Amino acid sequence: MTQLRVAVAQLPNRVGDLHGNTDRIIAAMDWAEHDIAADVLVLPELTLTGYGLRDLVLQHEFVDDAAAALAELARRSGRVTTILSTIDRVQPSRSWDTRERDVAICAAMLSGGEIRGKYHKVLLPHYEVFDEARYFAPGKHPDALWRIGDVVAGVVICEDMWSADGPPEAQSAAGAQILLVPNASPFHRGKAGGRLATTRAVARRNGLPVVYVNMVGGQDELAFDGGSIVVDADGELLHRGLEFAEDRFWLDVSVAPPRVLRRAVTNVHTRPTPLRPPSVPTRPNKPKSDVEAVWHAIATGLRDYVLANGFRGVALGLSGGIDSAVTAALAVDAVGPDHVLALAMPSSDTTEAETADARTLAKNLGISLEVIPVSMASSTEQVPTPAREQQMVDSPRERERRYARSRAAVLGDIFMERGYLVLATGNKSEISIGEASLLGDLSGGFAPLKDCLKTVVYELAAYRQERSAVFPANLLHRASTMQRLGSGPTTDWGELDDIIRRLVEHGEGLSDVVDAGHGLDVATSVLKRIARAERTRRYAPPGVRVTSRAFGQDLHLPISNAWRPHLHRGAATSVGAEFTGAPAAGCRSGEDGSSG
Amino acid sequence: MTQLRVAVAQLPNRVGDLHGNTDRIIAAMDWAEHDIAADVLVLPELTLTGYGLRDLVLQHEFVDDAAAALAELARRSGRVTTILSTIDRVQPSRSWDTRERDVAICAAMLSGGEIRGKYHKVLLPHYEVFDEARYFAPGKHPDALWRIGDVVAGVVICEDMWSADGPPEAQSAAGAQILLVPNASPFHRGKAGGRLATTRAVARRNGLPVVYVNMVGGQDELAFDGGSIVVDADGELLHRGLEFAEDRFWLDVSVAPPRVLRRAVTNVHTRPTPLRPPSVPTRPNKPKSDVEAVWHAIATGLRDYVLANGFRGVALGLSGGIDSAVTAALAVDAVGPDHVLALAMPSSDTTEAETADARTLAKNLGISLEVIPVSMASSTEQVPTPAREQQMVDSPRERERRYARSRAAVLGDIFMERGYLVLATGNKSEISIGEASLLGDLSGGFAPLKDCLKTVVYELAAYRQERSAVFPANLLHRASTMQRLGSGPTTDWGELDDIIRRLVEHGEGLSDVVDAGHGLDVATSVLKRIARAERTRRYAPPGVRVTSRAFGQDLHLPISNAWRPHLHRGAATSVGAEFTGAPAAGCRSGEDGSSG
């Protein structure tokens, strides 16, 4: 049975870094050519340019630069066929609207110093975080085939593989014996299992082995998790690459028997596949558990954001609560303890126990802690009236707001003076319902827990605690601010998170939530607050996406929205629970007028 | 020659407001039926649901509610054919990616108590601010025709009209005698002229009259300007509706002679067109000048944002500079002087003249002014070291930053206590290059001048001053903070704005800018700063889009971006002017760590 020696380089995602990416690609090409004597080297989607280019695609000088870099890499190619994905200027064409696109996502076949052919991605995902229909022209040859020595190979790119009747099926029917697939598939919880199932289904449906290569690393809100996989024609897993780490591997893959060719095949080269001793089978890397993968996604995303944006380290306030504690532990894994600065900023309302827990945590994590007591900042030359002063003293929420503002100011000074990225510690539960305050838990340049519901934060804490007990026990059980102030729609995080997950992550409606056993009042309140909080969420810092429905790049809600949801029951009659989407003017804990 | 009596209702855009929109539509239907005895009533695109729904389209209960509202409106329809656009659930289908869509943008033909047919939008714009490929299934019948009495009418929706070989051409070739076009076309400078030219070209190319109906009003960052137009088969303008205002008009339009029918026509009804005395020709409304239109777009967008989000009014700081002065004058036009609160917040660096000008301006505009001197806020219990104190006193930029923070705190308190939307006063020039500080000119909940370059702010000031001299002369000529601090790449706003306009609005590259006569150093600095400032721009409040390239909904830049632009000269050789996209750590005027 014919075997193709396939080398895989799971390279990192560096948007716009044509020089650095070229260097990494050359190193992989040298490895495949000289160390492995591979037949084919497969790299991730848009390895040359990075994935998540957005409007860089519209800058004609960037497209030219990418073309020049591709030409240079082609010149360096040798015996090995390198399948290199990049952007490619094509004939302008119109598709779903009246605007012409003249750039496509391409997999170029490099061999013998030349570009021997190009495949252009046919299916352009435009949902969730994907925005490819905005930028790219679709490829017009879903059934293209490539001769690599004795083997007829199909090449498709990422989304092309997911339709069950798309380019893989066209290429298989036309005569492909193996399918090679560059991908840029960002992480969300559960994604790795879905990828494996899909890859296996493609292999079985088409009776050919599939080489699925993913990129790694963070790009703004996305984390790419690698975990490239190779399956045989029966869908059995031959190898799995590392998750959340650069990786290279190679193996000899038995291709499907030659098929009747139903279309012309482009020759990449016609040298016969050489006889070689077969490769030694390797054990696929063990997949990470769900919570472990979420942890690594956040650490990876944070690390690459810090590196790409030139920060010297990260700073955050430790309150003695679980959100800031987990954020600090993640930061240590992301950038190392020497680059994490923690601040305890007690106010007159802070207990000794909270500050003591912050100290213990910092010690356990090996990070510096500075203790800076904060006051209610006085912004004006005016002395507050006695009535106003009394009001401040009397209102725990108002005191909370003023102290939060002072803490944000202290962290702002750290950023300005030391160049540290300030981490916001807000979680998705609070951000969903407008309980994360812009000058409190959302104050900062990056929010690692932005896409983690509170119950997921507890999962992350338990996962980290199992590795080593860094969190003081009291800290894990301390009531949250929302619980203390009674400002949420419920004090039960499990109830709240289930409702949010249904409404936000599963796209359910009010009646679905009520049918699942939740109270109408609580469900209505949550739905109402999710809509109302969009205005302040627009100013929230970026975070790492770990679900398929993250605020930020994923969820696009209108701010001004007058829809009045109501219980849907059978026929379209409207009963009960109507509300207006407009916020009450004035005081809500999740807002502060400096960005209100 | 057969005439069709066409009634047009240029209704406002209220996203999600099914009840209110239904009421407005019923009023228009009653008017067309009883007051006009029209043959057909044409309403804007997505009149029933509002335009800019974003992820509301994914909420199945909202889609159900819209369907129920449509059924109710159909029941109320009479002799007049109402062409009502809404969202419509359709058979799930896949197009450019692997995700099924089951909602389309629809124009329903309502008559005699029933839905007599539906046209589904074929071309789905996905560029600039448009995101329809994310949500909608494309229509599959570009050549559908509708019999309305004696007349065979074509109906297309917005983007459908702009390709020169799309649905209008298909419908004309199939036998249409008139084209009816609901639109949701948001304003940008120069758009109205483009619409008229396109509508005329469609009419002439197809030899039939065109009725182009646009919506009005603000939705988050977009302002819809109305200005509906009717042209005859020669492309001559028969009528233009009001701009930036609700409007109704009607006229008898001579349709093209009957044509050979090349496809089946759906009967809306087959009653003959009645004999009536013809309508009296009306004079088309005069179009607004460019700068007048920009002014109205901003006032409209701000007004509707305030109304839709339930604010009691707006508050802003008056610095004595032109940006805050123009913002205040716009606010007065948007919400009326009684709902605008101005604050002068002098620091030890503020001159008497600046505060005096703020007083004069407030008086001229008829708005309240409160004078609240600000201090450098002390956030901590610690007394600053003498060295630190001296440093603050010595650095104008550091003083500026601390005073800005105090001003933001004062405005934040106004928001919390009174429910006023705080207006940020930053302009597009400063936002482009990272000179608008998050706690200074970008602090607030809405930024009216966000898409206005500084030179456009001067144009707006001149336009307003011509109406009545509200701005003190000194104020118009006062140096900006950037000019005083020398922190920009140039102190010449004309030079800066031309470079920004080329790079950001016209998609030019560095070499284009240099070829236009700008210095390489200045151009490189601007390009570098635009890329670097994306990180802080993500926290900027919404504003009103007035160009075809507005930061916010229009421009999607990556934050982490390592591309090193260089001068492109002929062949792809890289010479000169390389730079890293990474920011220097620490102090830049456009950033502040509380969101840094």
Side-chain angles (χ1 to χ4, degrees):
Chain A
M1 195 182 279
T2 306
Q3 292 199 315
L4 198 68
R5 183 158 292 185
V6 177
V8 169
Q10 187 174 286
L11 294 181
N13 184 20
R14 301 269 186 269
V15 161
D17 188 11
L18 295 174
H19 294 291
N21 292 340
T22 295
D23 290 346
R24 281 179 282 271
I25 292 163
I26 288 172
M29 286 168 72
D30 286 348
W31 164 74
E33 184 90 21
H34 302 301
D35 299 357
I36 312 303
D39 295 316
V40 64
L41 167 67
V42 188
L43 302 163
E45 182 179 9
L46 294 189
T47 315
L48 180 51
T49 58
Y51 189 90
L53 294 167
R54 314 195 91 193
D55 285 4
L56 260 187
V57 178
L58 307 178
Q59 295 221 14
H60 63 88
E61 292 184 342
F62 179 70
V63 180
D64 290 343
D65 282 355
L70 173 63
E72 174 58 26
L73 285 165
R75 277 192 290 278
R76 285 170 166 271
S77 64
R79 202 194 58 79
V80 176
T81 300
T82 297
I83 299 183
L84 176 66
S85 178
T86 181
I87 55 173
D88 190 33
R89 188 168 280 129
V90 295
Q91 277 294 105
S93 68
R94 291 195 307 244
S95 300
W96 40 87
D97 60 25
T98 61
R99 194 60 64 102
E100 290 187 328
R101 269 71 163 181
D102 65 355
V103 177
I105 296 176
C106 153
M109 319 299 158
L110 312 185
S111 191
E114 289 178 353
I115 300 170
R116 295 286 169 84
K118 290 174 179 174
Y119 172 81
H120 293 118
K121 189 175 186 177
V122 173
L123 295 175
L124 299 173
H126 208 105
Y127 52 81
E128 295 176 0
V129 298
F130 302 107
D131 57 3
E132 295 182 12
R134 182 172 162 90
Y135 300 110
F136 297 111
K140 298 180 182 0
H141 302 288
D143 60 350
L145 294 178
W146 312 95
R147 186 180 309 283
I148 301 172
D150 295 337
V151 174
V152 174
V155 172
V156 305
I157 302 175
C158 205
E159 182 82 358
D160 283 335
M161 198 181 85
W162 289 71
S163 81
D165 61 353
E169 289 65 36
Q171 292 174 19
S172 168
Q177 299 169 268
I178 185 172
L179 194 66
L180 308 172
V181 193
N183 299 270
S185 179
F187 172 79
H188 65 73
R189 196 169 178 154
K191 183 79 164 278
R195 271 185 217 131
L196 179 59
T198 299
T199 306
R200 284 179 155 160
V202 170
R204 288 198 201 108
R205 185 164 53 236
N206 298 297
L208 42 67
V210 180
V211 179
Y212 178 104
V213 181
N214 194 19
M215 58 173 42
V216 291
Q219 168 62 23
D220 294 349
E221 301 206 278
L222 303 182
F224 295 85
D225 52 333
S228 300
I229 44 188
V230 182
V231 302
D232 68 18
D234 296 323
E236 291 306 306
L237 184 66
L238 299 177
H239 193 73
R240 177 191 285 109
L242 295 172
E243 291 172 292
F244 298 105
E246 288 190 44
D247 194 15
R248 286 176 183 173
F249 61 85
W250 64 280
L251 65 173
D252 292 330
V253 181
S254 297
V255 305
R259 298 173 172 189
V260 178
L261 293 177
R262 307 213 178 267
R263 62 153 285 158
V265 180
T266 304
N267 287 332
V268 177
H269 69 77
T270 52
R271 296 186 305 275
T273 304
L275 284 177
R276 286 169 299 216
S279 61
V280 180
T282 56
R283 283 175 65 86
N285 290 292
K286 189 168 156 291
K288 292 191 193 304
S289 75
D290 259 17
V291 62
E292 193 181 3
V294 170
W295 183 278
H296 278 84
I298 298 173
T300 299
L302 173 58
R303 180 199 63 202
D304 286 350
Y305 194 82
V306 168
L307 290 175
N309 291 284
F311 291 103
R312 295 186 187 148
V314 301
L316 79 166
L318 285 189
S319 68
I322 190 169
D323 293 339
S324 59
V326 170
T327 303
L330 281 162
V332 167
D333 278 9
V335 298
D338 294 347
H339 299 283
V340 180
L341 171 62
L343 289 99
M345 295 175 282
S347 71
S348 61
D349 290 346
T350 306
T351 65
E352 291 288 336
E354 285 168 323
T355 306
D357 282 349
R359 280 187 202 279
T360 306
L361 174 64
K363 187 163 156 281
N364 291 349
L365 289 172
I367 60 179
S368 322
L369 179 81
E370 295 181 18
V371 181
I372 304 180
V374 290
S375 62
M376 288 191 208
S378 160
S379 310
T380 72
E381 298 289 355
Q382 295 169 326
V383 177
T385 61
R388 184 82 193 95
E389 199 137 326
Q390 193 55 45
Q391 189 190 336
M392 282 195 256
V393 173
D394 287 347
S395 163
R397 174 164 277 193
E398 180 62 16
R399 284 204 309 275
E400 182 82 20
R401 190 175 81 87
R402 303 231 162 205
Y403 287 134
R405 189 151 82 186
S406 294
R407 292 187 182 108
V410 171
L411 288 165
D413 290 344
I414 300 273
F415 164 74
M416 292 301 280
E417 289 164 15
R418 309 195 205 178
Y420 276 42
L421 174 66
V422 174
L423 300 183
T425 60
N427 63 60
K428 188 176 189 174
S429 304
E430 293 166 350
I431 293 169
S432 294
I433 59 170
E435 278 290 315
S437 118
L438 286 171
L439 281 186
D441 356 22
L442 279 186
S443 164
F446 201 80
L449 301 177
K450 187 177 181 187
D451 198 30
C452 293
L453 292 171
K454 187 78 173 191
T455 47
V456 176
V457 177
Y458 280 106
E459 277 187 88
L460 289 172
Y463 160 77
R464 181 63 188 80
Q465 195 74 334
E466 207 169 282
R467 273 170 48 194
S468 63
V470 290
F471 303 119
N474 285 339
L475 183 151
L476 293 177
H477 303 296
R478 189 164 282 132
S480 64
T481 305
M482 189 176 92
Q483 285 169 322
R484 276 190 290 112
L485 296 177
S487 51
T490 165
T491 54
D492 178 345
W493 288 113
E495 182 187 17
L496 180 63
D497 284 1
D498 189 62
I499 297 173
I500 294 173
R501 193 174 269 129
R502 288 172 182 280
L503 293 172
V504 171
E505 297 180 7
H506 300 170
E508 294 185 9
L510 195 58
S511 42
D512 307 310
V513 173
V514 170
D515 288 347
H518 294 287
L520 179 59
D521 286 356
V522 177
T524 306
S525 168
V526 173
L527 185 49
K528 173 181 171 181
R529 292 175 65 142
I530 289 170
R532 200 171 63 176
E534 178 63 16
R535 189 163 52 81
T536 46
R537 269 196 303 268
R538 291 290 178 98
Y539 323 115
V544 182
R545 175 200 197 231
V546 297
T547 73
S548 62
R549 287 270 160 204
F551 290 113
Q553 224 168 312
D554 257 342
L555 288 157
H556 301 187
L557 301 175
I559 300 173
S560 307
N561 171 10
W563 184 41
R564 294 161 171 76
H566 54 87
L567 262 195
H568 280 244
R569 284 282 179 252
T573 52
S574 310
V575 285
E578 296 222 346
F579 64 83
T580 78
C587 299
R588 289 185 42 241
S589 67
E591 309 190 27
D592 186 291
S594 65
S595 296
Chain B
M1 194 182 278
T2 305
Q3 290 199 316
L4 198 68
R5 182 158 293 185
V6 177
V8 168
Q10 188 175 285
L11 294 181
N13 183 21
R14 300 270 186 268
V15 160
D17 188 11
L18 296 173
H19 294 290
N21 292 340
T22 295
D23 290 346
R24 280 179 282 271
I25 292 162
I26 288 172
M29 287 168 71
D30 286 348
W31 164 75
E33 185 90 20
H34 304 300
D35 298 357
I36 312 303
D39 296 315
V40 64
L41 168 66
V42 188
L43 301 163
E45 182 179 8
L46 294 188
T47 314
L48 180 52
T49 57
Y51 189 91
L53 295 166
R54 313 194 89 191
D55 285 5
L56 261 185
V57 178
L58 307 179
Q59 296 220 15
H60 62 91
E61 293 185 341
F62 178 72
V63 180
D64 290 343
D65 282 355
L70 173 64
E72 173 57 25
L73 286 166
R75 276 192 290 277
R76 286 170 166 268
S77 64
R79 203 193 57 79
V80 175
T81 299
T82 296
I83 299 184
L84 177 65
S85 178
T86 180
I87 56 173
D88 190 33
R89 188 169 282 129
V90 295
Q91 278 294 104
S93 68
R94 292 195 306 245
S95 299
W96 41 86
D97 60 26
T98 61
R99 194 60 65 102
E100 289 186 331
R101 269 74 164 179
D102 66 354
V103 177
I105 296 176
C106 154
M109 319 299 157
L110 312 184
S111 190
E114 291 179 349
I115 300 171
R116 296 285 168 87
K118 289 174 179 173
Y119 171 81
H120 294 118
K121 188 176 187 178
V122 173
L123 295 175
L124 299 171
H126 208 107
Y127 51 81
E128 294 175 1
V129 297
F130 303 107
D131 56 5
E132 295 180 13
R134 180 172 164 91
Y135 300 109
F136 298 110
K140 298 182 182 358
H141 302 289
D143 60 350
L145 294 178
W146 313 93
R147 187 180 309 283
I148 302 173
D150 296 336
V151 174
V152 174
V155 172
V156 305
I157 303 176
C158 206
E159 183 82 359
D160 283 335
M161 199 182 84
W162 288 72
S163 81
D165 61 354
E169 288 66 35
Q171 294 175 18
S172 168
Q177 298 169 267
I178 184 172
L179 194 65
L180 307 172
V181 193
N183 299 271
S185 178
F187 173 79
H188 65 72
R189 195 170 181 155
K191 184 80 164 276
R195 271 185 217 133
L196 179 59
T198 298
T199 306
R200 285 179 153 160
V202 169
R204 287 197 201 109
R205 186 163 52 236
N206 298 297
L208 41 67
V210 179
V211 179
Y212 177 104
V213 181
N214 194 19
M215 60 174 38
V216 291
Q219 168 62 24
D220 293 349
E221 301 206 278
L222 302 183
F224 294 86
D225 51 334
S228 300
I229 44 187
V230 181
V231 302
D232 68 17
D234 297 322
E236 292 306 306
L237 184 67
L238 299 176
H239 194 74
R240 177 191 286 111
L242 295 172
E243 291 172 291
F244 299 104
E246 290 189 45
D247 195 13
R248 288 177 182 172
F249 61 86
W250 64 281
L251 64 174
D252 292 331
V253 180
S254 298
V255 306
R259 299 173 171 189
V260 178
L261 292 176
R262 307 211 179 268
R263 63 153 283 158
V265 179
T266 304
N267 287 333
V268 177
H269 69 78
T270 53
R271 297 185 303 277
T273 305
L275 283 177
R276 286 168 299 214
S279 61
V280 181
T282 57
R283 283 175 65 86
N285 290 291
K286 190 169 156 287
K288 292 191 193 304
S289 75
D290 260 18
V291 61
E292 194 180 3
V294 169
W295 183 277
H296 278 84
I298 298 172
T300 299
L302 173 57
R303 181 199 63 204
D304 286 350
Y305 194 83
V306 168
L307 290 174
N309 290 284
F311 292 103
R312 294 186 187 149
V314 302
L316 80 166
L318 285 189
S319 68
I322 190 168
D323 292 339
S324 60
V326 170
T327 303
L330 281 161
V332 167
D333 279 9
V335 297
D338 294 347
H339 300 282
V340 180
L341 171 62
L343 289 100
M345 296 174 283
S347 71
S348 61
D349 290 347
T350 306
T351 63
E352 290 289 336
E354 285 167 323
T355 305
D357 282 349
R359 280 188 201 279
T360 306
L361 175 64
K363 186 162 158 282
N364 291 348
L365 290 172
I367 60 179
S368 321
L369 179 81
E370 294 181 17
V371 181
I372 303 179
V374 291
S375 62
M376 287 192 208
S378 160
S379 311
T380 73
E381 298 288 357
Q382 296 170 327
V383 177
T385 60
R388 184 80 192 97
E389 198 135 329
Q390 192 56 45
Q391 189 190 336
M392 282 194 255
V393 173
D394 287 347
S395 162
R397 171 163 281 194
E398 181 63 15
R399 283 205 309 275
E400 181 82 20
R401 189 173 83 86
R402 303 232 161 204
Y403 286 134
R405 190 150 81 188
S406 295
R407 291 186 183 109
V410 171
L411 288 165
D413 289 344
I414 299 272
F415 164 74
M416 292 301 281
E417 289 164 16
R418 310 195 203 177
Y420 276 42
L421 174 66
V422 174
L423 300 184
T425 59
N427 63 60
K428 187 176 190 176
S429 304
E430 293 166 352
I431 292 170
S432 295
I433 59 170
E435 279 289 315
S437 119
L438 287 170
L439 281 186
D441 357 22
L442 280 185
S443 165
F446 200 81
L449 300 178
K450 188 179 179 187
D451 197 30
C452 294
L453 292 170
K454 187 78 173 191
T455 47
V456 175
V457 177
Y458 280 106
E459 277 186 89
L460 290 171
Y463 160 77
R464 180 64 188 80
Q465 194 76 334
E466 208 170 281
R467 273 170 48 195
S468 63
V470 289
F471 303 119
N474 285 338
L475 184 152
L476 293 177
H477 303 296
R478 188 165 283 133
S480 65
T481 305
M482 189 177 93
Q483 286 169 321
R484 276 190 290 111
L485 296 176
S487 52
T490 164
T491 53
D492 178 345
W493 288 112
E495 181 186 17
L496 179 63
D497 284 1
D498 188 64
I499 297 173
I500 294 173
R501 193 174 269 129
R502 288 171 181 279
L503 293 173
V504 170
E505 298 180 6
H506 300 170
E508 294 186 9
L510 195 58
S511 43
D512 307 310
V513 173
V514 171
D515 288 347
H518 293 288
L520 178 60
D521 286 355
V522 177
T524 305
S525 168
V526 173
L527 184 50
K528 171 182 172 178
R529 291 174 67 144
I530 289 170
R532 200 171 63 175
E534 179 61 17
R535 188 162 54 79
T536 46
R537 267 195 304 266
R538 290 289 178 98
Y539 322 116
V544 182
R545 175 199 197 231
V546 296
T547 72
S548 62
R549 287 269 157 206
F551 290 113
Q553 223 168 311
D554 257 342
L555 287 158
H556 302 186
L557 300 175
I559 300 175
S560 307
N561 171 9
W563 183 41
R564 294 163 170 75
H566 54 85
L567 262 195
H568 279 245
R569 284 284 178 250
T573 52
S574 312
V575 286
E578 296 222 349
F579 65 82
T580 78
C587 300
R588 290 184 42 240
S589 65
E591 308 189 30
D592 185 289
S594 65
S595 296

